[in-house]
Amino acid sequence: MQVVSHALEGAVLVITVDNPPVNALSHAVREGIVNALSDLPSEAEAVLIVCAGRTFIAGADISEFGKPPLSPGLADVLEALENCPLPVVAAIHGQALGGGLELSLACDYRVLDSKARVGLPEVNLGLIPGAGGTQRLQRLAGVDTGLKLAVSGKPISANEALDVGIADAVFQDQLVTNAVAFAAETAKQKRCLRDAPAPPMDTDAFDRWTGYAHKKMRGQAAPLAVIDAVRHGLENGFEAGLKHERALFEDLVSSHQSKAMRHLFFAERLAGKPPRGVEGKPIALSQAGVVGAGTMGVGIALSLLAAGKDVVLFDVKPAALSVGYDRIRAVIDGDLAKGRISETEAASRRQRLTKAEDWSGFDQCDIIIEAVFEDMEIKKTVFAALAERVRADAILATNTSYLDIDELARSVPHPNRVLGLHFFSPAHIMKLLEIVRGEATSDDVLVTALALGKQMGKISVVSGVCHGFIGNRMISAYGREAGLLLLEGASPQAIDKAVTDFGMPMGPFTMADMAGLDIGYSNRKKLSPDQYETRAVLVHDQLVEMGRKGQKTGSGFYRYEDGNRTPLHDAKTDEIIAAVRTREGITPREIDAEEIVERCIFALINEGAALLGEGIAARGSDVDVVYANGYGFPRWRGGPFSYADQVGLDYVAERIASFAERFGTRWWTPAPLLIELAKSGGALATHEN
Ligand code: CAA
């Protein structure tokens, strides 16, 4: 297939890039553009670059990073565009991202479809723009915009691009026809940004974006490298800036951070594909039902409405139904007011939402998701009520964080239509969706759920059935070690600091206070003591029994002043911890940050390796996706498995063995898969069952 073609339209040479799915700048594309520019027909007076398919060029081909470079490189393409004797226009639809926007900046003009977006998202891959983006953009649109796009990595709309001068024109429709006319009539001159004067220094912008990078992108090297590159070009001129940008890009491309983030990019896309051996056909879903109008039910209904489904909402308590229904409409109104959705879309979502008066409201539903209280007997009652009334082929999904999907499925006829959909709260905001496949779940039902996840804009990961599935089963190992470290002598502050310094957004004790200590307390009451480490929660239990349930009661591990959420040191907590240690006969010891991090993170990795070995996760990369999207594991570490591979599985296995010697094998038995991969030189993040 020819990925680059060209044809004359009047006096305009139209070069079309057609490299599905996203017109990435693969070698053949680069070569095709350079060749087309090297042999201009004599009739041509202007050149137009357009893309076939759903988008303009979405950037460099990420899969080529880390491989030997093939000539021509992207810099050669940009040089050919700048040196082209004719004015060059880029016509942008869909997205012009990274190298795609950079390519357009080497053109003389840019015209955009009104729905197009442009951006420099390289920081999301641990990189900086590598083809002049930090130099040309500031010369076109000023320092603030240059920093904004490349530091935040967030794309902007066509109208914003017009406002800041990136776009020369925006067309409502007929982009190519309008762009040809623009190239013929308006694009009369070369306007090379390489020769444009440097913009004035903007100290405020540098301060603001440096602050943003430190606050919002803590631990990441790329945003600071962007700032360095922009400043270098401003102070030393275009050519020096370009050279500096290239050097920084080369360093970053081989860094752990960028490798980790590129791993996550592909892992997130892979996670949404059916696991090996699953060959179902997706079932069309148009009408969905939600049982339970609490926080989770509301979020799930909003996600379904965003996916274009008709939604029937029901709650056995009429008052709760009414509150939930109003809450959904309020969120839709809020999204409209913030410009997130159009008036037409808001009207459509309101119109597609209905309240059911009783269970018969679900008669026509293709899928019903229950989001009632986390209790097996209550969920069985709901499923029984549904099974009596809904179509025999309607999918029954349970939003549970821990419960046994197989037990629930066995309680209804046709258990092959049952599965778990574990949404994270708030369900309409959080991207992660664990799709829990029961022993009877059919392949058709599973692929239907994956398709639904995509329609809802979620990052879906398939999990098998076990207590807590992938995410919560692993987090309990992490929480257990945090609790034991506390008992042995570390303070909540020291533990929280060590893991936040590692890159977690919040420490386990701040997190527990925020979630409410009573939640875990009541969950534990449903478990038998052999299912968890009772010593790890002695302090938690003591706090709850004293009425210190966390933020909501003004104290837990920390104290909170005047409803403020800032955790403050509380001497009373120190006394409580000390009393528990004395009662248990424990002499506290000094514990350093390294031990804290290793015990918490390696416990997480070991539990993950155990469940991957058991086949609960289909792929190691799925575990990384769960942790990066549901539990705040730093993306620049790529997830727990990517991190484990980076520090070395033999090292992780050796540390786990030493913890087993010190603390016993009950919780520190190395997972067989971890041992196997450490011995064979394999990797957890790329392991596939
Ligand atoms: N390189 C290689 N493959 C890419 C790619 C890229 N830049 N962008 C997307 N793909 C692939 C995806 O892996 C996916 O492949 P599979 O179908 O095999 O899973 C396929 O294209 C479709 O991608 P999405 O599922 O993400 O499609 P979408 O419609 O949801 O999103 C998109 C489209 C917004 C363009 C999104 O894919 C995206 O954000 N891509 C990355 C953009 C990016 O980061 N560009 C900068 C690259 S670095 C760079 O350009 C450096 C430089 O300065 C030279």
Side-chain angles (χ1 to χ4, degrees):
M1 191 187 93
Q2 211 181 359
V3 295
V4 178
S5 58
H6 52 92
L8 265 178
E9 292 223 11
V12 178
L13 179 72
V14 181
I15 299 178
T16 305
V17 176
D18 188 3
N19 184 26
V22 296
N23 289 313
L25 283 161
S26 320
H27 177 245
V29 173
R30 302 195 300 268
E31 195 170 53
I33 297 175
V34 170
N35 287 345
L37 291 169
S38 68
D39 188 19
L40 299 172
S42 56
E43 309 91 306
E45 289 173 14
V47 175
L48 177 68
I49 310 245
V50 300
C51 286
R54 67 198 216 216
T55 182
F56 191 75
I57 297 163
D61 185 338
I62 304 167
S63 63
E64 284 184 4
F65 291 155
K67 296 184 184 157
L70 287 174
S71 184
L74 185 51
D76 302 318
V77 179
L78 304 201
E79 209 175 296
L81 288 165
E82 289 184 327
N83 291 341
C84 172
L86 304 175
V88 186
V89 181
I92 296 170
H93 75 292
Q95 318 242 7
L97 299 177
L101 177 59
E102 291 176 295
L103 179 139
S104 80
L105 293 172
C107 298
D108 302 287
Y109 300 84
R110 286 146 298 277
V111 297
L112 270 61
D113 175 76
S114 59
K115 290 191 277 308
R117 295 178 75 75
V118 299
L120 293 172
E122 285 89 341
V123 285
N124 300 326
L125 301 168
L127 295 171
I128 66 168
T134 62
Q135 307 304 311
R136 287 189 183 86
L137 187 56
Q138 53 163 312
R139 279 170 168 72
L140 179 64
V143 171
D144 187 43
T145 301
L147 287 169
K148 174 180 162 176
L149 264 69
V151 173
S152 75
K154 293 181 185 154
I156 58 171
S157 68
N159 283 337
E160 284 174 82
L162 188 64
D163 285 348
V164 296
I166 296 174
D168 295 289
V170 171
F171 299 117
Q172 291 306 317
D173 51 21
Q174 305 284 334
L175 177 69
V176 178
T177 311
N178 283 314
V180 170
F182 181 96
E185 290 154 23
T186 314
K188 295 291 183 198
Q189 289 166 4
K190 289 295 287 176
R191 300 193 308 176
C192 198
L193 286 170
R194 185 183 284 265
D195 305 326
M201 174 44 114
D202 184 344
T203 320
D204 280 356
F206 274 104
D207 289 348
R208 204 162 349 101
W209 289 106
T210 307
Y212 179 96
H214 284 302
K215 190 162 173 224
K216 305 237 165 167
M217 305 165 96
R218 190 167 57 90
Q220 298 182 40
L224 298 174
V226 165
I227 294 165
D228 182 3
V230 172
R231 189 190 297 279
H232 198 89
L234 202 56
E235 291 173 351
N236 302 286
F238 184 87
E239 296 303 332
L242 207 59
K243 233 172 130 180
H244 192 59
E245 178 198 87
R246 193 68 215 164
L248 290 167
F249 179 88
E250 295 295 347
D251 277 353
L252 288 169
V253 98
S254 55
S255 68
H256 286 310
Q257 290 201 357
S258 178
K259 284 180 191 158
M261 290 169 101
R262 273 147 43 204
H263 156 70
L264 274 179
F265 177 85
F266 288 113
E268 284 168 356
R269 279 146 188 90
L270 184 62
K273 299 186 169 66
R276 193 178 277 173
V278 173
E279 281 172 3
K281 280 209 190 81
I283 302 158
L285 305 176
S286 67
Q287 194 167 120
V290 177
V291 186
T295 309
M296 287 313 286
V298 163
I300 293 168
L302 281 161
S303 303
L304 290 163
L305 289 167
K309 310 299 170 200
D310 291 341
V311 177
V312 181
L313 182 71
F314 176 63
D315 198 297
V316 283
K317 293 188 191 126
L321 178 60
S322 189
V323 170
Y325 179 83
D326 291 347
R327 174 85 192 113
I328 294 171
R329 289 179 65 97
V331 175
I332 295 171
D333 292 347
D335 283 347
L336 173 63
K338 287 178 199 133
R340 290 186 187 142
I341 52 172
S342 66
E343 177 57 71
T344 320
E345 179 59 24
S348 157
R349 290 186 192 184
R350 283 189 215 106
Q351 185 259 324
R352 285 186 281 110
L353 174 69
T354 47
K355 280 189 268 190
E357 299 303 325
D358 55 41
W359 295 101
S360 63
F362 295 120
D363 286 356
Q364 298 309 314
C365 285
D366 306 303
I367 181 168
I368 301 99
I369 306 174
E370 72 71 24
V372 301
F373 194 66
E374 183 81 341
D375 179 281
M376 180 59 86
E377 291 317 309
I378 297 178
K379 288 192 191 281
K380 277 186 182 168
T381 313
V382 168
F383 263 43
L386 287 171
E388 247 178 55
R389 292 163 178 92
V390 301
R391 291 198 325 257
D393 65 343
I395 297 174
L396 297 181
T398 170
N399 172 61
T400 173
S401 317
Y402 289 96
L403 298 176
D404 183 346
I405 312 282
D406 293 330
E407 183 182 339
L408 192 57
R410 282 192 293 271
S411 73
V412 290
H414 314 296
N416 59 333
R417 61 181 164 156
V418 174
L419 85 171
L421 291 179
H422 179 207
F423 288 83
F424 287 68
S425 186
H428 58 300
I429 310 267
M430 289 289 283
K431 282 269 183 195
L432 183 65
L433 175 67
E434 273 184 321
I435 297 179
V436 190
R437 177 190 190 187
E439 60 188 5
T441 309
S442 75
D443 283 5
D444 285 354
V445 167
L446 186 65
V447 297
T448 304
L450 283 164
L452 178 64
K454 198 164 171 70
Q455 290 159 8
M456 291 189 291
K458 302 290 178 203
I459 296 175
S460 307
V461 174
V462 176
S463 170
V465 177
C466 65
H467 186 75
F469 317 125
I470 297 174
N472 283 342
R473 173 167 158 186
M474 285 171 66
I475 206 73
S476 63
Y478 170 90
R480 178 197 71 230
E481 285 311 306
L484 290 173
L485 284 157
L486 182 78
L487 205 62
E488 289 163 34
S491 68
Q493 293 84 339
I495 298 169
D496 281 355
K497 180 169 185 322
V499 301
T500 47
D501 285 352
F502 173 80
M504 299 299 283
M506 202 181 273
F509 298 102
T510 309
M511 184 68 178
D513 268 5
M514 206 172 89
L517 298 174
D518 51 327
I519 308 279
Y521 184 84
S522 61
N523 284 342
R524 285 193 291 280
K525 296 281 167 235
K526 295 178 205 149
L527 300 174
S528 67
D530 60 332
Q531 283 178 288
Y532 67 102
E533 174 54 86
T534 48
R535 288 182 316 131
V537 284
L538 289 172
V539 177
H540 299 63
D541 288 353
Q542 182 72 60
L543 290 169
V544 174
E545 281 156 18
M546 294 171 79
R548 299 172 61 109
K549 298 179 189 167
Q551 256 183 37
K552 60 186 168 193
T553 57
S555 67
F557 282 100
Y558 297 93
R559 66 186 170 84
Y560 303 86
E561 275 177 1
D562 307 326
N564 200 312
R565 293 181 186 182
T566 312
L568 302 169
H569 172 246
D570 192 348
K572 181 83 188 135
T573 310
D574 297 343
E575 285 170 25
I576 296 166
I577 298 169
V580 173
R581 285 178 187 145
T582 310
R583 195 182 72 205
E584 296 299 309
I586 293 166
T587 310
R589 64 182 173 93
E590 283 288 320
I591 304 179
D592 63 18
E594 189 183 346
E595 180 178 339
I596 294 172
V597 169
E598 288 197 340
R599 286 197 31 208
C600 293
I601 303 295
F602 289 4
L604 195 69
I605 293 166
N606 197 36
E607 195 63 41
L611 65 82
L612 180 60
E614 292 162 25
I616 298 295
R619 318 169 180 104
S621 57
D622 287 354
V623 170
D624 284 344
V625 171
V626 167
Y627 264 78
N629 291 288
Y631 297 83
F633 200 92
R635 290 187 74 81
W636 49 272
R637 292 199 189 270
F641 284 176
S642 179
Y643 173 68
D645 293 334
Q646 185 229 310
V647 296
L649 294 188
D650 40 3
Y651 176 74
V652 176
E654 181 198 303
R655 295 299 293 143
I656 290 175
S658 91
F659 293 145
E661 260 176 42
R662 284 170 66 192
F663 307 113
T665 49
R666 181 176 179 204
W667 302 116
W668 284 114
T669 300
L673 180 65
L674 178 67
I675 300 291
E676 184 192 315
L677 293 174
K679 277 196 189 135
S680 67
L684 277 168
T686 50
H687 182 81
E688 196 165 343
N689 286 319

